[in-house]
Amino acid sequence: MIAAENPFARVWGAYLRLIARFPSVGQIVPFLPLIALWALVVELGVFPRAFFPGPVDVVQSFITLTWKGILPAYLEDSVVRLLVGAAVGIAVGIPLGLLVGLSSKAHKALWPILLFFQAIGDIAWLPLLIIWFGFGLQTMTFVIVYTVLFPVVLNTVLGVRSIPLELHRAGRSLGAPPWRIVTEIVVPGALPNIITGLRNGLGYGWRALIAAEMIVGTSGIGFLMFDSRRAGSVVEILLGMIVLGLLWYAVDALILAPLERATGQRWGLVAR
Amino acid sequence: MKSLSIRNLSKTYFDPYAGKHVTAVQAVSLDVPEGEFVCVVGPSGCGKTTILNMIAGFIPLSGGEIVVDGRSVSGPGPDRGVVFQSHALFPWKTVLENVAFGPKMRGVPLADREAIAREYLALAGLAHAADRYPNELSGGMQQRVGVARALANQPAVLLMDEPFASVDAQTRMTLQEELTRIWQERRPTIIFITHDVPEAVFLANRVVVLSKGRVLKEIDIDLPRPRVWDALIEDERFKTLSAQVLQLVRSA
Amino acid sequence: MTAPAVTGASPRPSAALKRLTGAVTFLLPLVVLVIVWEAAVRITQVHPGVFPGVGAVMKAGAESIRDGSLWMHVGASMGRVMLGTVLAILVGVPLGVLMGVSPAVSTFLTPLFRFFSVLAGIAWIPIATLWFGYGFGAIIFVIFNAVFFVVAYNTLLGVSGIPITLRNAAASLGAGPWTMLREVLLPGALPNIVTGIRTGLGFAWRGLIAAEMIATNVGLGYMLFLARDFYRTELIVFGMVVIGILWLLIDRLILAPLERRTIERWGLVRS
């Protein structure tokens, strides 16, 4: 234990109390020394500035691109693509997962196929998709749907199969007909796994979207980064990366975390 | 509440490891008249849980017949309420929603089924916990919700599969006393499976001792009610009956 | 329910037979899929440049095996993944342990590593190609950081999640820092480390294919993209099948056994 009169310990204690009161502060403060270090390295001129721009340059480019309307437009494109892909992936993935999870025949027939197509991976589809659909929205939508679909299906199956036999039995002995068993027991029981699948799916889908925008895109954050790379503009690449990171925080905080809180945590079913 | 009778019930299944058919239950017959409380005791592997699962309709019969309320039954149904060892409450439903589940499946309107659920929760001494989730309750409270949920569906018979096996000793005694109280108030027909001899003698009107898939002996328990542990623990008749059952179980 | 004791030879199906039937039931749906694929191509008479038949794909595959180009691309891709992943684990695990040991350090650094593990992989391709040029260095960098941040972050979580009672128990039994690391911290964090490796490798594999499409002239991603330039869909489909099989092999031969030995065996599986 550090002695109480140690000034570092006192500052640390104050910091801990602060982040206990305001958890978001604890998510931001650690970045300050990192940004300071970054600025210092840039000021010392260790690397050529064009190669390694500083935080101020990034903020300036953020303001410029936002002012010109390029950044908001690209951001909107990426987010809409992600949301459409996620919505379609969920709409197809959950029913398919329920079917494969509940029917042992469907499981036998479809499980190996699902595993194999999951293994091929979204990005490997890009060349074929470009031939089929050209460089455009359809190609990107296909890639995102594909990426979100598999984690959702596989986790739904896992969730359905992990529901204890007793709960099925309890439902039946309380008089529930088969379709009520699905709506009252199977779906809620699998929900925490479905959300885990969604989290993984969005995590992968996100990366697939960036890759697709780089390779086939004409707009979006991935395109912004790759276009900047062609022009040799490192500032905009860094800006794109930071925006990507922040966007994931937004998706996490606004969509995934509330879902997880509303389901698994209070039910005591939550994974991890 | 109605009667239950099982005739020549038997169960054989194929054991893939042993590579042959194994008989788990052999020609068991048992009559439980309306309003009786029967405990089935026996060592592990005597077939008691298999019998209960057959009555509940969870597993198919190999032979024999189950008659509830004058009708032959197969498959699970709301006429036979089940209280599970692992409580089997729906974790995503509140206590009230769990207890209201059976009436909901029968199409009872929301207000009515909530009234029913509250009535049975009060009977189980849990009126205060209606809006909590099962995960937030102690093991003893979870089992009380399980009993209330089964009773709220007004089954002809109540099947209980070692429901108190995984709660601590003190809670267990309280739960046993409460179950006898509820039984005296409502007079449900109960079949209660246990391996705990004092528990069986404390609860039942009649104890059925099972051994190797057959009924070894039935013993009437003529102890007075209401039964409370403080009185019975010193009671000579209770001690004699317990010793008698214990001997049978150990010889089984 | 205990069965009566069995005497004599057990007629239990042998383990080899079980594995065989398991493999057959796994492969059968895939065989059916291939048949349906070929039937669909024949019935619809689709142009082979849009959707090739099974024969064309097998021919393209045989050709790429004969002229050695398949081995060159597979070798390049696998070599990159292995090098990047091994480097990342060698750096990421010790760093994660160091950060996780002290509650103060781990509280402070967790948000940083979370941020970078969110970005891990593909998002680094543009800047990696600027810093290192198109080629080997950029691709290794992308794979390295895809695995590194995720593994370091998960190790950090694993070590800081070890119950303090376990560390106290080891200390009171006389464990020094080195023993503590070897006997308590590493095994305790291992399930998390394995989870991190699985997630990171998933990101790395995708990052690899994407980076090879953009930034190199050898590797599976390049092979697919080159075939696209010449509208050789049969070679693309063959490449996709190879990618799928390689990932299944990585999963079955490396990741699944690793998980069985640690997470499942210790009863720590989270579900």
Side-chain angles (χ1 to χ4, degrees), chain C residues 146-248:
Chain C
V147 179
F148 169 77
F149 284 111
V150 179
V151 166
Y153 176 56
N154 276 281
T155 308
L156 167 71
L157 286 186
V159 171
S160 57
I162 294 171
I164 195 73
T165 49
L166 277 187
R167 282 163 71 174
N168 287 344
S172 76
L173 290 166
W178 181 242
T179 321
M180 183 74 87
L181 176 71
R182 220 184 43 214
E183 303 288 338
V184 180
L185 299 180
L186 275 180
L190 205 53
N192 284 72
I193 296 174
V194 171
T195 307
I197 292 174
R198 169 178 276 284
T199 312
L201 209 52
F203 291 154
W205 186 247
R206 280 145 215 256
L208 171 80
I209 303 296
E212 285 179 346
M213 286 184 189
I214 294 170
T216 181
N217 54 13
V218 65
L220 283 165
Y222 174 74
M223 174 178 141
L224 293 192
F225 224 63
L226 187 70
R228 187 202 66 87
D229 283 343
F230 298 100
Y231 285 87
R232 292 199 55 197
T233 46
E234 72 281 2
L235 193 56
I236 297 179
V237 172
F238 177 72
M240 289 165 69
V241 171
V242 170
I243 289 173
I245 290 173
L246 282 179
W247 178 254
L248 282 183

Side-chain angles (χ1 to χ4, degrees), chain B residues 68 70 177 191 236:
Chain B
V68 176
E177 288 173 349
I191 298 183
E236 285 308 316

Side-chain angles (χ1 to χ4, degrees), chain A residues 173-174 184 188-189 266-268, chain B residues 77 92-93 104 133 135-136 153:
Chain A
S173 80
L174 287 165
E184 301 276 346
R266 192 149 189 223
W267 303 344
Chain B
W92 45 87
K93 290 180 185 293
K104 185 180 177 186
Y133 282 90
N135 178 47
E136 299 165 342
N153 218 17

Side-chain angles (χ1 to χ4, degrees), chain B residues 149-237:
Chain B
R149 180 175 72 174
L151 284 175
N153 218 17
Q154 290 162 330
V157 286
L158 189 60
L159 309 171
M160 306 183 75
D161 184 11
E162 305 197 34
F164 307 148
S166 47
V167 293
D168 67 85
Q170 271 74 35
T171 312
R172 186 167 220 221
M173 291 176 140
T174 317
L175 288 172
Q176 289 159 350
E177 288 173 349
E178 278 179 23
L179 183 61
T180 61
R181 171 181 62 78
I182 291 171
W183 180 79
Q184 272 183 282
E185 268 180 48
R186 303 274 168 152
R187 293 288 167 147
T189 311
I190 299 181
I191 298 183
F192 188 108
I193 305 284
T194 180
H195 61 259
D196 178 342
V197 170
E199 175 172 79
V201 174
F202 178 85
L203 292 171
N205 301 105
R206 181 154 51 109
V207 170
V208 177
V209 181
L210 223 59
S211 165
K212 299 186 180 104
R214 295 168 184 275
V215 175
L216 195 65
K217 193 159 184 177
E218 301 190 18
I219 297 162
D220 286 317
I221 309 293
D222 48 6
L223 296 168
R225 291 184 192 264
R227 295 178 188 169
V228 283
W229 277 110
D230 287 345
L232 278 186
I233 201 89
E234 297 293 330
D235 187 277
E236 285 308 316
R237 183 82 192 120

Side-chain angles (χ1 to χ4, degrees), chain B residues 41-102:
Chain B
V41 290
S44 306
C46 71
K48 54 189 192 298
T49 296
T50 310
I51 291 176
L52 188 110
N53 281 339
M54 284 193 284
I55 300 175
F58 298 148
I59 56 177
L61 321 182
S62 303
E65 193 188 18
I66 296 166
V67 179
V68 176
D69 192 12
R71 276 172 314 168
S72 179
V73 294
S74 66
D79 52 345
R80 284 146 291 146
V82 182
V83 180
F84 296 84
Q85 181 175 352
S86 60
H87 72 72
L89 299 176
F90 305 124
W92 45 87
K93 290 180 185 293
T94 61
V95 165
L96 189 73
E97 288 164 349
N98 262 285
V99 179
F101 185 85

